[in-house]
C-alpha cells in the first residue's frame, strides 16, 4: 500500500481567497490534508474556512488564535489588533464552527512516521524562529520529521552531525523548491502561512510531502489579495490586517 501524499497547511487565518489558490495549484498532488493550526483569526472568512476544514482536513492541531477565537484564552496576552480580531471571530463563528474550533486537539500529535504541532514539541505557543530555537526543540521530537507553524515563516531546520542548519524556501522569483529528505537527519519543517505570510513574500505558502519518496516540495502561489483585503475592511477589522497582506510582513 503506498502511503498517502500530504498537503500540509498552516496559519490559514480565515483567508478564503488564499486557501482557494492553494487548492487550485495543489490539485492532483496530494491524497490527504494536514493543518497545523490557526484556522481563524485576522481574516474575514472564519466560517467558510472552518467549514472547509471540517469537511476536508483529515488531521488538525489547534493554534493560539483558534483558542483565542473560541474564547478559551485570556486575551490579555494578545496585542490589541489580534485581540480585536479574536473577539470579532468569536462573534462571527456559528455554534457548530465554534464547537469545532474549541475542540481542536493540542499538538504535537503523531501521524504515520512524523509529528505535527503548531509551535514547538514542548510548547504549542513557542515560536521556533532561529536555529538556536530549533536546536532546543530537536531533542524532544519523537520522529525524525516534524511539521510546525506559528511563525508564518516558510522553511525550517535540519539536524545532522550535531549541527542545526536552516532549510531554504523558494525565492520571490521561484514558485517551488524541492527538498529530498536525507537519512540520519532530522527535520523541523514549516510549510509557511496560507493566509498571512510574514517572510517578506506575500504569496501563499504550503508544502507537499510524499512519504514513499521521502520527498518534500515548498510552494508559493499568488492569490486574489485585493479581494481578501476588501473583505477585512468591510468587516470593520483593523486596517493593518489588510495592509500587511500586501507586504507579507
Ligand atoms: Zn498564526
Amino acid at each position: 500500500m503506498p502511503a498517502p501524499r500530504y498537503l500540509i497547511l498552516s496559519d490559514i487565518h480565515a483567508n478564503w481567497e488564499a486557501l482557494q489558490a492553494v487548492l487550485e495549484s495543489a490539485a492532483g498532488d496530494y491524497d490527504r490534508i494536514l493543518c497545523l493550526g490557526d484556522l481563524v483569526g485576522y481574516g474575514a472568512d472564519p466560517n467558510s474556512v472552518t467549514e472547509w476544514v471540517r469537511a476536508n482536513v483529515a488531521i488538525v492541531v489547534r493554534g493560539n488564535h483558534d483558542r483565542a477565537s473560541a474564547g478559551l484564552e485570556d486575551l490579555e496576552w494578545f496585542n490589541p489588533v489580534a485581540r480585536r480580531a479574536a473577539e470579532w471571530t468569536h462573534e462571527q463563528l456559528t455554534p457548530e464552527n465554534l464547537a469545532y474550533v474549541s475542540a481542536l486537539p493540542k499538538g504535537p500529535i503523531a501521524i504515520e512516521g512524523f509529528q505535527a504541532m503548531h509551535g514547538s514539541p514542548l510548547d504549542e505557543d513557542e515560536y521556533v524562529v532561529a536555529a538556536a530555537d530549533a536546536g532546543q526543540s530537536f531533542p524532544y521530537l519523537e520522529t525524525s520529521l516534524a511539521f510546525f507553524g506559528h511563525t508564518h515563516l516558510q522553511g525550517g531546520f535540519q539536524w545532522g552531525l550535531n549541527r542545526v542548519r536552516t532549510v531554504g524556501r523558494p525565492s520571490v522569483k521561484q514558485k517551488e523548491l524541492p527538498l529530498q529528505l536525507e537519512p540520519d537527519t532530522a527535520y523541523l519543517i514549516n510549510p509557511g502561512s496560507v493566509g498571512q505570510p510574514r517572510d517578506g513574500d506575500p504569496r501563499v505558502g504550503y508544502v507537499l510531502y510524499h512519504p514513499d519518496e521521502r520527498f518534500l516540495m515548498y510552494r508559493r502561489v499568488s492569490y486574489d489579495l485585493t479581494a481578501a483585503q476588501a473583505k477585512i475592511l468591510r468587516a470593520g477589522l483593523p486596517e493593518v490586517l489588510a495592509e500587511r497582506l500586501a507586504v507579507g510582513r
Side-chain angles (χ1 to χ4, degrees):
M1 266 293 274
R5 302 165 303 160
Y6 288 90
L7 167 62
I8 301 173
L9 309 177
S10 192
D11 299 278
I12 303 171
H13 283 290
N15 187 334
W16 181 251
E17 284 71 25
L19 179 59
Q20 294 316 299
V22 170
L23 299 177
E24 242 170 67
S25 70
D29 293 336
Y30 65 90
D31 308 303
R32 193 177 285 179
I33 309 175
L34 166 67
C35 178
L36 305 173
D38 281 3
L39 282 46
V40 297
Y42 296 141
D45 279 313
N47 283 311
S48 315
V49 167
T50 304
E51 266 145 41
W52 176 84
V53 170
R54 286 168 60 192
N56 295 285
V57 181
I59 309 149
V60 188
V61 295
R62 70 184 186 184
N64 52 319
H65 287 263
D66 301 321
R67 292 203 319 274
S69 302
L72 299 174
E73 192 76 354
D74 187 347
L75 295 179
E76 190 188 331
W77 298 102
F78 268 49
N79 69 55
V81 168
R83 184 189 307 185
R84 169 77 191 110
E87 286 163 353
W88 180 87
T89 303
H90 186 75
E91 290 160 18
Q92 297 292 315
L93 284 172
T94 65
E96 293 79 13
N97 289 338
L98 190 60
Y100 176 81
V101 170
S102 306
L104 288 173
K106 178 184 175 177
I109 57 170
I111 304 141
E112 298 143 12
F114 61 92
Q115 287 180 289
M117 59 202 70
H118 187 64
S120 86
L122 282 182
D123 181 352
E124 59 181 333
D125 292 336
E126 186 185 352
Y127 290 92
V128 179
V129 175
D133 310 326
Q136 292 187 341
S137 294
F138 274 115
Y140 297 98
L141 295 183
E142 286 164 11
T143 51
S144 63
L145 173 64
F147 295 95
F148 72 103
H150 195 33
T151 63
H152 300 209
L153 306 172
Q154 193 180 48
F157 306 90
Q158 65 182 75
W159 187 30
L161 302 171
N162 273 323
R163 195 170 147 235
V164 179
R165 282 186 296 154
T166 303
V167 175
R169 58 180 167 87
S171 75
V172 288
K173 290 185 177 147
Q174 290 173 313
K175 291 190 167 133
E176 54 184 27
L177 189 69
L179 177 68
Q180 189 67 51
L181 301 182
E182 294 162 21
D184 304 318
T185 306
Y187 294 88
L188 266 165
I189 300 292
N190 191 325
S193 169
V194 171
Q196 197 199 74
R198 292 178 195 161
D199 46 19
D201 184 344
R203 296 176 300 168
V204 169
Y206 69 90
V207 152
L208 296 164
Y209 171 50
H210 296 177
D212 286 343
E213 290 86 42
R214 291 180 56 78
F215 178 79
L216 211 139
M217 181 69 91
Y218 289 99
R219 286 236 179 110
R220 297 306 278 247
V221 53
S222 303
Y223 72 100
D224 190 351
L225 199 143
T226 319
Q229 289 178 311
K231 284 184 185 173
I232 287 172
L233 297 177
R234 223 179 304 141
L237 285 160
E239 270 175 46
V240 65
L241 293 175
E243 287 159 7
R244 68 187 302 176
L245 293 182
V247 285
R249 292 277 180 211

